[in-house]
Structure formats: structure tokens, C-alpha cells
Amino acid sequence: MARIHSAAALKIGQRIREARERLGISLEDFGELSQVSWTSIGRIERGAQSPNAETLVRLATALDVDPGSFLSGVTADDYGRRLHRVTARDLINARAEALDDPRESAS
């Protein structure tokens, strides 16, 4: 079995495969409709390859679904270990708190 790229790639690939199979479309026909090679689609569906944004849009368009449906619920944690767990909101709030803390201005 092919190596899995990430938990995110596996989730996305399964969603793409399910949508394709619901319509009864072969990999070859799907490749033709989406203008993505069917071998690449196969790797994506197995989670061995993580699709880029253009590929996601091409695949979704061919399946007549919203590209966001493939990404719903996928988080950065699904791509493996993260060095930082701070979001932009956390950073902005911390800076605002520092400005409001009178001890900060004394240092």
C-alpha cells in the first residue's frame, strides 16, 4: 500500500472518492472531465498525495460540488505536528493585553 501523505490528505481523498463513486464515474473519465491525470487522482483518493488548491477546484468543478466540502473540518493538526499553536487572534489578544497592563510600560 502507498504511504499516506497525512491524515488531512486521507480525509480529502476519501471525500473525493465518495463523490466520484456516487456519480458512477471512472477514474479515467474523472481525469478527462477535471483535466487532472487519473493516476494523480488515484494517489489523491488514496491519501498518498495532497492536492493543491487548483487541483481541488478542478476536481470539485468536474463533480459539480463546492470545493470547500472536501476541506470541511480539516485542520492544521491533520497535517502532523505543529511547532506553533498560536493563532493570529491569540497574538492580537496578547498584544492588546500587554498594552493594557501597566506593569508592561514600567519595564
Side-chain angles (χ1 to χ4, degrees), residues 6-13 15 50 56 67-80:
S6 63
L10 189 58
K11 286 179 185 179
I12 293 165
R15 291 171 182 172
S50 186
L56 275 178
S69 67
F70 297 144
L71 300 174
S72 179
V74 174
T75 68
D77 291 330
D78 293 321
Y79 285 98

Side-chain angles (χ1 to χ4, degrees), residues 53-93:
E54 179 183 352
T55 299
L56 275 178
V57 170
R58 287 180 180 277
L59 298 176
T61 300
L63 295 169
D64 196 26
V65 299
D66 179 5
S69 67
F70 297 144
L71 300 174
S72 179
V74 174
T75 68
D77 291 330
D78 293 321
Y79 285 98
R81 189 173 150 263
R82 293 173 51 203
L83 297 177
H84 303 287
R85 293 205 157 291
V86 177
T87 65
R89 178 172 297 163
D90 295 333
L91 179 64
I92 292 166
N93 289 341

Side-chain angles (χ1 to χ4, degrees), residues 1-41:
M1 182 174 175
R3 186 169 174 248
I4 301 300
H5 180 274
S6 63
L10 189 58
K11 286 179 185 179
I12 293 165
Q14 288 170 339
R15 291 171 182 172
I16 292 169
R17 175 178 279 147
E18 288 167 4
R20 177 180 63 80
E21 288 179 345
R22 267 194 307 273
L23 296 173
I25 299 171
S26 70
L27 275 175
E28 293 83 359
D29 286 342
F30 190 24
E32 183 69 29
L33 292 169
S34 63
Q35 296 180 306
V36 175
S37 77
W38 66 268
T39 55
S40 290
I41 296 170

